[in-house]
Amino acid sequence: PPNMPEHTAALRLRLSGLCFLLQILNILLFAVFVRYSPESSPGLCPPQLNCSQRNQEPVFQQRFQDVHIQVLLSFGLLVAFLSRYGPGSAAISILIIAFTIQWALLIQGFFYFFLNGKIYVGAPSMVSADFCTAAVLISAGAVLGRVNPVQMLLLALLEVTLCTLNEYILLSLMGVSDSGRSLTVHTFGAYFGLVVSRVLYQPCRDKRKREERQDTGHQTDVFAVVGTIYLWIFWPSFTSATTAHDNAENWAVLNSYLSLVASTIATFILSPVLYEESTPRMVQIQDATLAGMAVMGMAGEMLVTPFGALIAGFLVGLISPLGFRFFTPVLYSRLKIQDTWGVHNIHGLPGILGALLGTLLTLLATADTYGDRLELVFPLVAQGSRTVTDQAFIQLGALPLTLLFAALGGWVTGAVLKIKVLRCSPDGQYTENTVLWEVKLGNCW
Amino acid sequence: PPNMPEHTAALRLRLSGLCFLLQILNILLFAVFVRYSPESSPGLCPPQLNCSQRNQEPVFQQRFQDVHIQVLLSFGLLVAFLSRYGPGSAAISILIIAFTIQWALLIQGFFYFFLNGKIYVGAPSMVSADFCTAAVLISAGAVLGRVNPVQMLLLALLEVTLCTLNEYILLSLMGVSDSGRSLTVHTFGAYFGLVVSRVLYQPCRDKRKREERQDTGHQTDVFAVVGTIYLWIFWPSFTSATTAHDNAENWAVLNSYLSLVASTIATFILSPVLYEESTPRMVQIQDATLAGMAVMGMAGEMLVTPFGALIAGFLVGLISPLGFRFFTPVLYSRLKIQDTWGVHNIHGLPGILGALLGTLLTLLATADTYGDRLELVFPLVAQGSRTVTDQAFIQLGALPLTLLFAALGGWVTGAVLKIKVLRCSPDGQYTENTVLWEVKLGNCW
Amino acid sequence: PPNMPEHTAALRLRLSGLCFLLQILNILLFAVFVRYSPESSPGLCPPQLNCSQRNQEPVFQQRFQDVHIQVLLSFGLLVAFLSRYGPGSAAISILIIAFTIQWALLIQGFFYFFLNGKIYVGAPSMVSADFCTAAVLISAGAVLGRVNPVQMLLLALLEVTLCTLNEYILLSLMGVSDSGRSLTVHTFGAYFGLVVSRVLYQPCRDKRKREERQDTGHQTDVFAVVGTIYLWIFWPSFTSATTAHDNAENWAVLNSYLSLVASTIATFILSPVLYEESTPRMVQIQDATLAGMAVMGMAGEMLVTPFGALIAGFLVGLISPLGFRFFTPVLYSRLKIQDTWGVHNIHGLPGILGALLGTLLTLLATADTYGDRLELVFPLVAQGSRTVTDQAFIQLGALPLTLLFAALGGWVTGAVLKIKVLRCSPDGQYTENTVLWEVKLGNCW
């Protein structure tokens, strides 16, 4: 269409302007509220962040870095997956991260690190900001291809708030133990994104174009290989990022590692059966790794036992590819939910299974088997203010609650993103714009 | 040929089925034998793993991670090298790793961490499992292109057992000090793989095809650059992964680092002379880095002195390219040994040189120069139950022993892999299958 | 031209021979001077390296590794940027690093770790050698495309010496506090390289060829994505590598992180306005990240306050792209300075701004706000031997001094590199040689 240039220029400036406003807003809010966390202030520190660590800074520094690696990693994976839409989308991911981390520092600060009108930031607040960013990236994976950068920024703006609220209710108020964030990151992020995707549903066009794009596999594989290596190395630290006690960490690391190994093997078992290939593509292995990690989110620090971790990873490694093969198409045809990244199979289902597994293990927890570890994993139980059964019920109750939050939040967010001024008319006005154009191709399944 | 599809389908299902069986087997064995290592059990800990570390968990955690990075790295390098055979081979590498780590946890557990019928796993067992995986990956590098995934899995199955046996005899029974695994990983892995490659020798076909593949250099270089960066960063931690004492580590890190720097320069000196290029290709630099590391495996924690490390690295950096240029072709033409990855030049020779250097340094070791470090590097000598000369003889004797083990083991393994049911008829039945087909091209030199 | 082959062969052998001589020289000097640093020798340790760390080896080990990652990273970025000149240039970068680290260990050793005729090397000396290498790589970025490997090696040879001298005068004699090396690495490296580039100026030829190369963007982007991820993860540790005190590190990490986030956003604001793209290219984001880090070099460990870090990063994130758009062309047309890598915008300006910011913060420093941190950041002020104002003046005076050093050093170096025997006649005699040929294309802007 002839009016294309104007449209594009308009969008360009709109994005540029929005970034400017948001950054100024962040700077002002930081100027008013944010201060460095004083050296010794356990009072400021939320229970789930184990401020005991802050006395052993180096260790924490290390964990802090791993979590970073994780976030940039999950973004790296986002890139990995998106590389088929062209590297332009990597830029958008970075934009999301750069904004979300600042915003999460503020919002999470209000919930966790707020004292006499000031937010005190330090390594712990960076860590929880990173967790929050991970959730936003997961949701972004579901809607990618149907939203422009402006909408993406607003999605981050809203999701951070809701995700933090959910996390606060679960971890601080209900005292749920979810150190690896099966619920608050994986499940919430996935279903939030799926509901947004549902609200933004638009019937399918240019199916043909999408086919063409499929053969940019080489670069995708490069990314996928790098991404998988990173995952194997650092995710175990991720799931154990907020478990201070070294032995406990030891458990979390071992469990996640065994789980991911088993889920990887599972992929090699199923993909030859499901597809006409003798070995899975790297992206599938990468997904299996992610799924194997997500299932260990809540249960990681509990007494899964080595073979339990193997079994859990093995099952989720079988479920995830089946989901891709059979469930994702159904989601699209029946429920009109387009799941660009397949986050439902990679984060959604594994997250739910992880929560159920965590509940089961909570039910089986005894003082003998956990020893002094009980104090760490189930503080309230250790203090006797709660029986193991109560704790298990609460862990279980946290699941539907999270789903509810995610659904409502996603619905509201989707409604906001549909506002006319934000939507870009679907007549491919961005065809000049690599990113948006290529991403538009993700439109149809 | 018309019967191609059936064949391929058959292989696909065979691989899928074998993975399934092996995983179930692993799960069962884990269920019966494997438990979490109790917090305080120095008795369970083999001398060469310095359980003193387990009291300083964070440090160990850190090392543990580095070793991981290493393994996934060496696999990353495998990918790097193989990227010319297409990314499909990356998937196979991951399959090997995913299986080998579980299997090594079991086998090594039986040797090192077995107590009252249970294997107690923890960070130390993960580390030795990772070492073992590295050996398998090195061997895989030698036979790549002539074995299918099913054979590869069986190779891993057998090599893990033999490698662990060899390591147990050397480190635990003979009290050889080989912290960086010049012998038990580099030398064993290389010659094991070479012998297997010899047994599987099949006369050369489609030489032409291979030439064509050579110009996929770009992606290879991307991988090689990333791989080299990783090596420079993490290998020093690898060679010092099992040396607890910080000062000793300091030595190991410095030595490996100086050695790799010198061997890199050496590559820049030789490659213009050997080849018509003014600067070496990234893959050559990567090989030089690996060789420079392998030579520091045993000697790393000893008193090499900075210039000694420079000299050792410099020499091995000169030998390795010469090996590629002159020795590998001879290996193939005279001895009918096809060395796909050139592991003989990258791991075999440097490993042997490292062992000889280690022996020499053992002979020169004195209580004055080593100080309290002697207790760490040569515990038996420090306890006076052995003279330095005895220790040196034992270090030297470990070399032929390792070569013998590798040769026998490789011969047996090769014989097993030749069983008709495993072999794939050579009439290029996998031409549809990217991985195997492309790997088949590595067939001829 | 017909005599091309001989020329190329000549250059090849000249490079090969030079490498050989330099390596032998290094080995001899190491043999004569370099020894392992004894375990307990605080006397050997320069103040700015905080040897207190060496008692907490693990932490230091960790930092040491991060700095490594940084160096190889900055080299990774060099590669990233240069990937458009073909991977061959990666090899040259590695050559520079491999030589520079050895040389820097010697030169820096003479200044900092020299005692009774011996240089005692350990982790601290490796760290300062790495810092020095970073400066050399920055300078290399400015002259890339107009020098051959032989000249590059001589540039490293000279710059290491001058850079160390400058660093010694600033940090040790004047007691400037520049933990993140805004001045001694970023500013010095950038202007040193720019002056060398000016001296080596040669009028422009084959502009056409350069255009053609521009469309190798894909691989560049892969590198840029990886490079950016690394930067985000490890640079905060870089800027805080030499600040021992954990709290201080905490500040440095937070400041750098906030600064880079803001500068990234700034890029998204400007690039749509400056260029016809709705989102910046990955390389631009990478540059913004670097600039955001460089500005926090000196101020990082001071009381920037979170919003101060955001503002600083935001401003430098706006200035750097403007520099690329408007200043770099002026540099070339008016001052005849060809800035291949744009180091002036990425390291030069941000470094200067960082120094000014550091001076301002020094002026504002008070004992109350810094607490026991004052002892760490401004030891002389804490000891009362200096007022804050004096310190601020000295910090400010260090800037022109560094610029003077860089200018003089660059001028001398450039003059040396112009010696006929080193110069390669400009008639494109290396056209067969990928590296040099491709790099030659960077010749004109």
Side-chain angles (χ1 to χ4, degrees), chain C residues 147-161:
Chain C
V147 303
N148 57 41
V150 173
Q151 291 172 302
M152 202 63 101
L153 278 175
L154 291 177
L155 180 141
L157 190 77
L158 294 168
E159 179 167 4
V160 166
T161 322

Side-chain angles (χ1 to χ4, degrees), chain A residues 27-307:
Chain A
I27 291 179
L28 292 178
L29 288 173
F30 267 69
V32 178
F33 290 114
V34 180
R35 300 288 175 268
Y36 293 122
S37 139
E39 268 53 52
S40 57
S41 50
L44 293 177
C45 187
Q48 76 274 21
L49 280 176
N50 290 303
C51 291
S52 59
Q53 294 171 342
R54 299 172 67 186
N55 310 337
Q56 353 157 338
E57 272 299 332
V59 191
F60 194 81
Q61 212 59 43
Q62 176 51 26
R63 292 226 188 77
F64 172 50
Q65 198 180 73
D66 293 342
V67 179
H68 258 316
I69 291 170
Q70 263 318 312
V71 171
L72 293 152
L73 209 194
S74 46
F75 127 73
L77 295 185
L78 190 62
V79 174
F81 178 84
L82 286 179
S83 51
R84 80 184 47 155
Y85 298 126
S89 43
I92 294 189
S93 325
I94 296 191
L95 174 61
I96 300 175
I97 291 177
F99 167 72
T100 307
I101 285 179
Q102 298 180 64
W103 189 244
L105 274 177
L106 284 166
I107 301 295
Q108 298 231 344
F110 282 118
F111 278 100
Y112 294 127
F113 307 98
F114 199 68
L115 195 72
N116 342 328
K118 298 290 172 214
I119 296 169
Y120 294 94
V121 299
S125 41
M126 294 298 273
V127 172
S128 41
D130 285 342
F131 274 119
C132 205
T133 312
V136 173
L137 286 171
I138 292 173
S139 307
V143 295
L144 260 153
R146 278 176 306 293
V147 301
N148 56 43
V150 173
Q151 291 173 302
M152 202 64 101
L153 278 174
L154 291 176
L155 180 141
L157 190 76
L158 294 168
E159 179 167 3
V160 167
T161 322
L162 295 159
C163 173
T164 309
L165 183 62
N166 177 51
E167 183 181 312
Y168 183 74
I169 293 175
L170 260 59
L171 302 184
S172 299
L173 301 189
M174 295 170 58
V176 174
S177 105
D178 183 19
S179 70
R181 304 288 200 271
S182 275
L183 280 173
T184 57
V185 168
H186 292 286
T187 310
F188 183 90
Y191 288 97
F192 184 96
L194 289 171
V195 174
V196 173
S197 172
R198 172 68 187 84
V199 178
L200 294 181
Y201 171 76
Q202 37 178 285
C204 182
R205 246 179 246 76
D206 51 25
K207 202 177 225 56
R208 177 187 38 66
K209 279 212 199 119
R210 206 179 121 276
E211 312 307 337
E212 301 165 2
R213 309 287 312 168
Q214 292 316 319
D215 50 18
T216 66
H218 250 10
Q219 198 185 3
T220 317
D221 282 315
V222 179
F223 275 123
V225 169
V226 174
T228 310
I229 296 180
Y230 278 157
L231 269 182
W232 279 53
I233 296 168
F234 294 110
W235 200 293
S237 316
F238 184 52
T239 35
S240 63
T242 57
T243 62
H245 201 278
D246 292 323
N247 310 332
E249 168 158 46
N250 231 332
W251 275 12
V253 171
L254 281 172
N255 291 333
S256 336
Y257 199 64
L258 291 172
S259 161
L260 86 89
V261 169
S263 72
T264 306
I265 297 265
T267 307
F268 280 85
I269 296 174
L270 262 191
S271 81
V273 182
L274 295 181
Y275 309 93
E276 293 303 292
E277 302 160 330
S278 79
T279 50
R281 298 205 323 287
M282 280 311 298
V283 174
Q284 293 166 327
I285 296 175
Q286 184 176 283
D287 296 342
T289 314
L290 270 166
M293 298 301 194
V295 77
M296 273 301 131
M298 182 188 281
E301 62 178 348
M302 303 177 185
L303 184 59
V304 190
T305 73
F307 70 93

